[in-house]
Amino acid sequence: MWTKHHKKRKLGRFVMPLITVAFLSYFGYHSIHGDFGLRATEMFDRQRTERQARLSELVAQRETLEREVALMSDGSLERDILDEKARFSLNMSRADEIVIFH
């Protein structure tokens, strides 16, 4: 009976560890630098805080506008609010008035 004896190669022992190292390196790199990695998470958090600040500014501006509209449209039109808005939109004032810009 004939049998073949294969001599074990030294390189064969390193194939599976090399595949494992390559696999872990690939996923390790992308867990930090990928689209959903740690750096992307930091960028998302930074954008979230910036957008939250912008949202709070816009909400405050909207509340101010709603308050002004409520003063002008509650049935009894406030003359000073109407006068202020008209002067601001027409960019006019009387000679004896002091204008304070804000």
Side-chain angles (χ1 to χ4, degrees):
M1 174 155 86
W2 295 89
T3 60
K4 288 187 174 182
H5 294 283
H6 292 285
K7 184 179 179 182
K8 290 200 172 200
R9 298 181 192 151
K10 292 182 181 179
L11 187 62
R13 285 190 234 168
F14 297 116
V15 171
M16 194 61 179
L18 286 176
I19 292 172
T20 304
V21 167
F23 180 80
L24 291 175
S25 299
Y26 176 79
F27 285 107
Y29 175 81
H30 285 288
S31 69
I32 294 172
H33 300 285
D35 290 339
F36 299 103
L38 294 176
R39 290 195 176 169
T41 304
E42 290 173 357
M43 185 181 65
F44 290 149
D45 288 338
R46 191 174 335 111
Q47 285 180 350
R48 185 181 56 83
T49 55
E50 290 171 358
R51 290 178 181 171
Q52 186 66 34
R54 177 73 176 137
L55 176 65
S56 63
E57 290 174 9
L58 290 175
V59 166
Q61 184 180 5
R62 180 186 173 112
E63 289 173 353
T64 303
L65 290 174
E66 286 177 351
R67 201 175 317 114
E68 290 176 358
V69 167
L71 287 174
M72 291 185 352
S73 65
D74 67 347
S76 64
L77 200 57
E78 303 248 348
R79 294 184 74 187
D80 59 338
I81 295 294
L82 183 61
D83 185 49
E84 176 187 340
K85 291 298 176 186
R87 288 174 188 274
F88 183 74
S89 63
L90 295 174
N91 198 18
M92 299 188 70
S93 65
R94 291 189 297 243
D96 62 341
E97 291 181 335
I98 298 173
V99 179
I100 300 173
F101 296 104
H102 56 80

